Amino acid sequence: MKLSTFRGGVWGVLRVHPAAGPGRRVTGLSPRCLPPVGPPTGRLFLRGAAATTGGGTNPKLASNFGKHSLKEDVPECDRSLREVVQSTREAMVTLLRRNPTIKPVLAIIQADEDDSALEINQKVAGMVGLNITHIYLTKECSEDEIVEEVLKLNEDPGVHGVCLQLPSSVLTSRVANALKPEKDVDGITDLNMGRLVRGDFSKGFVPPVASAVVDLLEKHDAPLEGKTVLLVGSEGPLGFALQCLIEGSGMVALKSQWSSASLQRQVMEANAVVLLGEGDIDVPPTWVRPGAAVIRCEDEMETSAKLGLRYLTAAYRIQNAVRSSSRWLQEQQYRPWQLRSLKLQTLTPVPSDIEISRAQTPKPVTQLAEEIGLLPGELEAYGRNKAKVRLSLLDRLHTQPDGNYVLVAGITPTPLGEGKSTVTIGLVQAFSAHLKLNSFACLRQPSQGPTFGVKGGAAGGGYAQVIPMEEFNLHLTGDIHAITAANNLVAAAVDARMLHEATQSDKALFNRLVPSVNGVRKFSPIQISRLQRLGINKTEPTSLSPQEVSRFVRLDLDPSKITWQRVVDTNDRFLRKITVGQASTEKGQIRETGFDIAVASEIMAILALADSLEDMKNRLARMVVGTSRRGQPVTAEDLGVSGALAVLMKDAIKPTLMQTLEGTPVFVHAGPFANIAHGNSSVLADKLALKLVGRDGFVVTEAGFGADIGMEKFFNIKCRASGLRPNVVVLVATVRALKMHGGGPNVSAGAPLPKEYIEENLSLVADGCRSNLRKQIQIAQLFGVPVVVALNVFKTDTLAEIDLVCQIAKECGASDAVPCHHWSQGGRGSVELAKAVKEAVSRPNNFQFLYNIEMPIVEKIRTIAQKVYGADDIELSPEAKAKVDYYNQQGFGSLPICMAKTHLSLSHMPDKKGAPTGFILPIRDVRASIGAGFIYPLVGTMSTMPGLPTRPCFYDIDLDPVTEEITGLF
């Protein structure tokens, strides 16, 4: 390996001595280590022309650079150096006053044996309190090796400036432009050079050499403003930089080559001459007019340059590094949005969802991220249209106040759905694209089961969609696939462990679980955790007694009490019950099990409720996969698999950024079932969005199914986990659903609507409003949150029906009720809803939970049944009672309740519409998701694996092999 590096942060001088071998021994270093880089700078010396044609040296200029102070290293009379150091020191003090924890660092990459330039940089850095870290490369290092070091420094948040102290032979364009422009304190990248040419100094950096030269020109005896400066020699980047700075300072810059026949005349006419490169070539003193300044810019890798300008160059480099630190700190602050909305051209009749989506060109996700204040390092792009957002954003904006928190819920839906997603998207389009208020939608990721089954996609609809809808509905960034892999790894671990325990002795199990590697046997960290839970406080494998070995190696899972099932993201009814272990290699370990759909996995619920990577890891470890024959719960951590699960889920925990049809931001993250789980998007997506929108912005998140299910779980489960409190509930209703609750005939997906739903019927509407709508408003009011009713208007709705719904909704306690036309008009059709929500958030909010978490499990279930569903009481089966007793015994009694019941009725009977009363709610079974953190009672039979209908959606989905366009999605 030709690359030899050492990283070390130092305040003082870094002394390096050659070692005996090819490597180098570095001494005198601070223990603090950081990665570094550094650009080569030109070394300068200044010579003044004589006052007469006889030549000689200008005494004043010579005195500036001929003597040294600071223990004979720094020129004692250099006014420029003192001024630059003083201003930089003041900037450093201001920087540390703003953030005392910041430690600005300049990294220098060096590829030669001469440390003089390093020592000069360190001395000047010491004057202002800047830390320097240093990387040595061998002279033979390759371009790839240098670029690798540069890229490491680019990603190191502890390094604020990088200097490449490299010979010109290896400082290629590729090396220079590998450096992030914001860390390029020598101004050598093409972008920074372009900024200089354009006169834009707000983001880029001026090469320190050029700054030093211009500084000296400006302080020359005779003022040079309006005078001519001749640049002789190379046409390289330094020449261009000098030309820009000289002309920007009010001087006239002319260029000439050493070979020019008119060089003597040009020198004699110039007020100052700057010599660029060309080794020892010089101009005769007799060519220089009296009082003119002559400056030579030599390659900084040469040792012949005078110390004075080397120190001044270093001072400007240090100044750039401090400026870079200040800019970095400023970048960490909250950024006001600069959102550019996309124009929406609505058509009548409204085209299909996929046609609308395809007609709009989304902004690049990197542009959207910049518009809403995300830093480039906080984004992980997945193609052009979507990106993961890193959780480090929460640390950066931890002091930023949250915005307003809006929950979209709904009345008890028809099997067709009532458009909560379209209302959510239409509302944020209205806020951001039309009212110019920051807003974020937070949506669940759809399962591919319903997408190819009967429901279709979940990207919204009409002119209120997330785009591209194909990417939203298919795969997205692979989170559901990660959940599938993690879930099935647990299932495989369960069956494998039972097989090995059934076929091996304690000693054989122990030898395989704790193998001897190179003669050393030791426990893994997760095995030590298991020993501690067992009360065995030993870390040396040979110290365990035979009884302790047996307890350690045997989980002793009861095959009849395995609760963990495999998952797949497809509607496959024939996987609901299967038999595994039938191959002869499984040695008779046959048992019945089954598959759930992937979004029903407890891992999905954990993803949605975790508030950090550490929290997710801990929740994964706590997942109970079954019960031992001794009646003890067995967890994923007992299986030794929880660390691997966290690895599989480490990217899935980051929300995915997308956009609406009008270019407003959306987070898509998690998609737990709303029956056996809580049915909300992730806590982390909401938290990130609340920081990004700012104090006066709005985050709109959606709860699955009706308010009695999704909203109740949002409040009692999600809000407990997140610590967040909503400001307002938007309750979505449709005329067709209200007619159904008012006594209309049943509807089913795929069948034509009965005439009651397409003709005006005020009686059915009124009855539905005074039953189901009233009850759902009352449920929201149980939690002390204002309610705005959003009537999702369909083309068959009449004006009289719309007015009647809004009137009765207000009579029932809604703070407002607004018809919404976002499906046909986009955000413009939800402007009145946005105004109503804005008004509602200003009203008093007396949020409270429905029950005390310490109440007994049965009492918590009873409270939900009576206050939310309207039941008279509950009735637990013997099996449910036994489970409640078991959970209490295991210490799970203080978990919140996640009721698993039908979403088609407030009761447990799907055909009972409106607001049923006088019923007893039967609790068939009680189960627990310990990792997710809730108990879920089963009301009736709940299917966790949907089946395909006679004619699934996939009949209409196809791909054009030429254009690669997808058809048939909706």
Side-chain angles (χ1 to χ4, degrees):
M1 181 70 172
K2 294 180 180 179
L3 179 63
S4 173
T5 68
F6 178 86
R7 294 187 176 90
V10 296
W11 286 95
V13 177
L14 180 63
R15 301 289 183 188
V16 183
H17 307 280
R24 305 180 68 184
R25 179 169 57 86
V26 182
T27 63
L29 295 174
S30 151
R32 183 172 178 273
C33 292
L34 291 167
V37 174
T41 62
R43 290 195 179 160
L44 315 174
F45 69 86
L46 173 65
R47 290 195 335 195
T52 65
T53 57
T57 302
N58 184 310
K60 185 173 290 188
L61 290 174
S63 70
N64 283 344
F65 302 102
K67 297 181 180 180
H68 305 155
S69 63
L70 293 177
K71 299 189 178 176
E72 301 183 353
D73 284 322
V74 183
E76 73 179 344
C77 298
D78 186 358
R79 180 162 57 96
S80 293
L81 178 61
R82 290 197 305 271
E83 291 174 355
V84 175
V85 168
Q86 179 61 28
S87 66
T88 305
R89 185 185 293 121
E90 291 171 357
M92 176 70 84
V93 170
T94 301
L95 180 64
L96 294 175
R97 189 180 296 122
R98 289 170 55 199
N99 187 342
T101 63
I102 191 171
K103 295 180 179 178
V105 172
L106 169 65
I108 298 177
I109 289 184
Q110 179 180 338
D112 72 330
E113 299 291 329
D114 180 19
D115 292 331
S116 59
L118 171 65
E119 292 178 0
I120 290 173
N121 281 290
Q122 288 172 338
K123 288 180 180 179
V124 178
M127 297 179 201
V128 301
L130 181 78
N131 216 1
I132 284 187
T133 184
H134 195 199
I135 293 178
Y136 290 102
L137 308 180
T138 63
K139 287 183 178 180
E140 298 80 15
C141 64
S142 68
E143 183 180 71
D144 287 342
E145 290 167 335
I146 298 173
V147 169
E148 181 182 353
E149 289 298 316
V150 171
L151 294 178
K152 289 177 183 177
L153 293 170
N154 284 345
E155 299 307 314
D156 187 342
V159 171
H160 305 96
V162 176
C163 171
L164 302 178
Q165 201 79 43
L166 303 173
S168 57
S169 59
V170 296
L171 186 59
T172 62
S173 176
R174 178 184 170 220
V175 169
N177 288 299
L179 183 58
K180 276 188 176 180
E182 58 266 32
K183 294 190 177 185
D184 171 28
V185 294
D186 275 7
I188 60 172
T189 59
D190 289 349
L191 180 57
N192 277 335
M193 194 61 66
R195 287 168 173 162
L196 179 62
V197 172
R198 207 170 53 234
D200 178 10
F201 303 116
S202 61
K203 294 183 178 180
F205 293 103
V206 176
V209 180
S211 294
V213 170
V214 173
D215 188 334
L216 294 171
L217 289 173
E218 290 176 338
K219 289 185 173 63
H220 184 51
D221 284 351
L224 290 176
E225 185 173 355
K227 303 296 179 63
T228 300
V229 178
L230 181 66
L231 306 177
V232 182
S234 170
E235 290 280 343
L238 177 58
F240 285 113
L242 281 168
Q243 180 181 357
C244 294
L245 288 180
I246 288 169
E247 292 176 348
S249 299
M251 296 176 261
V252 177
L254 300 177
K255 291 185 176 181
S256 184
Q257 297 297 321
W258 291 102
S259 58
S260 172
S262 59
L263 178 61
Q264 179 177 355
R265 176 180 57 79
Q266 291 173 313
V267 170
M268 295 181 70
E269 293 175 352
N271 302 104
V273 180
V274 179
L275 310 178
L276 305 173
E278 304 294 339
D280 294 330
I281 297 180
D282 206 344
V283 294
T286 55
W287 289 12
V288 182
R289 66 189 295 177
V294 179
I295 303 175
R296 177 184 293 282
C297 298
E298 293 180 336
D299 185 348
E300 193 171 4
M301 303 312 292
E302 299 293 333
T303 60
S304 58
K306 296 291 182 69
L307 284 174
L309 288 187
R310 294 172 68 185
Y311 272 99
L312 186 56
T313 298
Y316 275 106
R317 178 178 297 115
I318 301 305
Q319 185 179 76
N320 283 349
V322 173
R323 285 176 179 166
S324 176
S325 303
S326 182
R327 290 174 185 174
W328 177 85
L329 184 61
Q330 184 61 37
E331 277 188 343
Q332 305 311 302
Q333 308 307 307
Y334 177 79
R335 295 180 174 187
W337 284 22
Q338 304 290 330
L339 188 68
R340 181 183 66 85
S341 59
L342 301 178
K343 291 184 178 179
L344 200 58
Q345 301 294 331
T346 58
L347 300 176
T348 304
V350 176
S352 70
D353 290 350
I354 198 166
E355 289 173 325
I356 293 172
S357 174
R358 196 164 287 151
Q360 185 71 291
T361 301
K363 294 178 285 190
V365 71
T366 51
Q367 177 187 330
L368 174 64
E370 183 178 4
E371 291 175 353
I372 62 174
L374 286 166
L375 303 181
E378 293 168 340
L379 209 66
E380 297 176 2
Y382 282 62
R384 181 185 183 277
N385 301 314
K386 55 189 182 292
K388 289 285 192 181
V389 175
R390 293 179 179 172
L391 305 186
S392 59
L393 172 68
L394 289 175
D395 296 325
R396 177 169 69 87
L397 298 182
H398 71 279
T399 60
Q400 170 69 18
D402 288 345
N404 298 291
Y405 199 22
V406 180
L407 173 66
V408 175
I411 65 170
T412 304
T414 67
L416 309 178
E418 309 317 310
K420 292 190 300 297
S421 296
T422 58
V423 169
T424 299
I425 297 164
L427 179 54
V428 294
Q429 288 180 176
F431 271 132
S432 293
H434 298 272
L435 298 183
K436 306 305 178 184
L437 296 170
N438 294 352
S439 70
F440 231 111
C442 293
L443 300 177
R444 291 177 293 167
Q445 180 183 352
S447 165
Q448 289 180 179
T451 298
F452 290 102
V454 66
K455 185 176 181 291
Y463 288 103
Q465 289 189 56
V466 179
I467 57 172
M469 66 98 74
E470 304 100 305
E471 295 184 27
F472 179 92
N473 285 312
L474 302 174
H475 303 297
L476 198 64
T477 48
D479 293 356
I480 293 180
H481 301 315
I483 289 166
T484 301
N487 185 99
N488 292 345
L489 179 60
V490 176
V494 167
D495 286 318
R497 186 58 175 264
M498 288 195 297
L499 169 68
H500 295 312
E501 288 188 21
T503 57
Q504 297 181 49
S505 66
D506 290 351
K507 182 178 180 181
L509 275 172
F510 188 76
N511 288 338
R512 288 179 170 87
L513 288 172
V514 193
S516 176
V517 179
N518 296 325
V520 178
R521 189 190 301 274
K522 65 178 182 178
F523 294 117
S524 67
I526 201 168
Q527 290 175 328
I528 291 175
S529 294
R530 171 161 169 76
L531 286 168
Q532 291 171 345
R533 290 195 305 278
L534 292 172
I536 304 172
N537 297 314
K538 297 179 180 179
T539 57
E540 174 55 48
T542 58
S543 67
L544 268 64
S545 67
Q547 293 79 13
E548 289 171 336
V549 166
S550 181
R551 290 176 61 204
F552 170 72
V553 301
R554 297 209 174 270
L555 300 180
D556 200 24
L557 276 160
D558 185 340
S560 66
K561 294 183 179 178
I562 301 298
T563 56
W564 197 264
Q565 300 208 117
R566 289 167 172 81
V567 298
V568 64
D569 197 30
T570 302
N571 289 4
D572 192 345
R573 67 177 70 245
F574 283 89
L575 292 178
R576 289 170 179 167
K577 181 175 285 190
I578 61 170
T579 303
V580 296
Q582 297 189 85
S584 59
T585 51
E586 274 56 76
K587 303 178 182 179
Q589 299 298 308
I590 298 173
R591 69 181 184 92
E592 281 193 350
T593 182
F595 273 76
D596 297 326
I597 196 164
V599 293
S601 170
E602 183 177 353
I603 297 177
M604 174 62 89
I606 287 173
L607 178 66
L609 289 171
D611 65 4
S612 67
L613 187 58
E614 182 179 9
D615 183 37
M616 182 182 73
K617 183 178 177 181
N618 292 336
R619 288 173 180 267
L620 291 170
R622 293 197 300 266
M623 294 188 305
V624 174
V625 301
T627 305
S628 72
R629 289 184 173 89
R630 298 184 302 276
Q632 296 300 308
V634 177
T635 66
E637 190 170 26
D638 290 325
L639 283 168
V641 75
S642 56
L645 301 182
V647 170
L648 288 171
M649 295 293 294
K650 71 179 181 65
D651 291 321
I653 197 173
K654 304 165 191 171
T656 299
L657 177 66
M658 295 187 75
Q659 63 192 282
T660 68
L661 280 166
E662 297 190 59
T664 67
V666 178
F667 273 140
V668 185
H669 199 214
F673 257 25
N675 48 16
I676 66 165
H678 61 292
N680 303 137
S681 64
S682 78
V683 165
L684 281 169
D686 292 356
K687 285 192 169 185
L688 290 170
L690 285 164
K691 294 298 182 187
L692 285 169
V693 297
R695 185 194 301 272
D696 299 321
F698 293 83
V699 171
V700 185
T701 190
E702 176 193 349
F705 295 153
D708 57 306
I709 297 180
M711 184 185 71
E712 181 270 318
K713 295 173 182 179
F714 175 89
F715 289 141
N716 284 320
I717 298 175
K718 184 176 179 180
C719 288
R720 289 185 199 271
S722 69
L724 301 173
R725 303 292 182 261
N727 299 91
V728 63
V729 168
V730 173
L731 190 65
V732 179
T734 61
V735 167
R736 71 183 184 190
L738 292 169
K739 287 179 176 179
M740 182 186 70
H741 290 297
N746 288 331
V747 298
S748 58
L753 287 172
K755 65 181 181 62
E756 288 86 350
Y757 296 101
I758 56 179
E759 297 176 359
E760 184 176 284
N761 191 319
L762 297 179
S763 175
L764 288 178
V765 171
D767 290 345
C769 286
R770 293 193 173 96
S771 58
N772 195 267
L773 179 60
R774 181 195 300 273
K775 179 61 176 175
Q776 301 286 16
I777 292 172
Q778 291 171 347
I779 294 170
Q781 291 172 336
L782 287 172
F783 297 91
V785 182
V787 179
V788 173
V789 171
L791 182 63
N792 189 16
V793 176
F794 285 69
K795 62 182 179 181
T796 54
D797 300 345
T798 68
L799 183 59
E801 291 173 330
I802 293 170
D803 290 342
L804 182 61
V805 173
C806 294
Q807 173 194 333
I808 298 177
K810 295 174 187 177
E811 293 172 359
C812 293
S815 59
D816 206 346
V818 184
C820 304
H821 303 272
H822 44 269
W823 184 80
S824 58
Q825 299 176 15
R828 180 168 56 88
S830 284
V831 167
E832 293 306 313
L833 174 63
K835 291 178 179 178
V837 170
K838 184 182 178 185
E839 169 64 24
V841 299
S842 65
R843 298 191 177 190
N845 184 327
N846 302 308
F847 178 80
Q848 61 183 2
F849 293 115
L850 185 65
Y851 52 79
N852 186 319
I853 199 70
E854 298 301 329
M855 289 171 56
I857 292 175
V858 172
E859 288 307 309
K860 286 183 282 194
I861 297 172
R862 179 175 286 113
T863 299
I864 296 172
Q866 293 177 337
K867 293 188 176 181
V868 176
Y869 306 151
D872 284 350
D873 203 352
I874 61 174
E875 183 178 35
L876 274 70
S877 70
E879 182 180 3
K881 290 178 181 178
K883 289 286 189 67
V884 169
D885 291 340
Y886 173 73
Y887 296 140
N888 284 328
Q889 175 192 346
Q890 295 299 325
F892 303 147
S894 60
L895 294 176
I897 302 300
C898 183
M899 299 291 286
K901 78 168 190 71
T902 178
H903 63 288
L904 297 175
S905 172
L906 283 163
S907 72
H908 58 288
M909 301 166 282
D911 58 331
K912 298 295 183 182
K913 307 303 180 183
T917 57
F919 61 92
I920 304 295
L921 191 73
I923 308 300
R924 179 176 63 85
D925 195 4
V926 178
R927 298 177 186 171
S929 292
I930 304 305
F934 51 73
I935 303 289
Y936 63 98
L938 298 179
V939 181
T941 301
M942 300 301 303
S943 174
T944 54
M945 170 56 80
L948 291 172
T950 303
R951 192 184 191 282
C953 296
F954 60 64
Y955 275 88
D956 301 309
I957 298 173
D958 203 355
L959 178 73
D960 186 319
V962 177
T963 65
E964 296 187 10
E965 285 191 347
I966 297 170
T967 59
L969 278 178
F970 68 95

